[in-house]
Amino acid sequence: MAFPDSRIQVCADALAKLKPEYDGHVDDFPHYWLTVTVGDCELTTKVSAGINWPEEDKASIDAFMSVWRPLSRDVEKLLAIPGRYKKRK
């Protein structure tokens, strides 16, 4: 899936401000990873979802999800998974 440079830059800017990993300490919740490579620099953040995040992490989790959710929606639209969006032609 092609992404415009501006969208990749938005993701890179968000990840550059985040720690490499956040752990919500709930075993059966989803895990999210996002990696952006810009030139020689690779930015990766992993979020193991949870509840009751420490106050100092809440804004970071929101920032991560603000780029993760739109990407996830766009990718899901391209997948032919029953019950998710219209099937790709």
Side-chain angles (χ1 to χ4, degrees), residues 18-29:
L18 302 177
K19 298 186 290 189
E21 188 169 352
Y22 296 90
D23 189 350
H25 304 288
V26 179
D27 292 339
D28 58 349
F29 275 23

Side-chain angles (χ1 to χ4, degrees), residues 21-23 30-33 45-49 53 61 64-65:
E21 188 169 352
Y22 296 90
D23 189 350
H31 302 271
Y32 306 97
W33 290 268
T45 297
K46 174 185 174 187
V47 173
S48 299
W53 289 100
I61 299 304
F64 177 86
M65 295 311 286

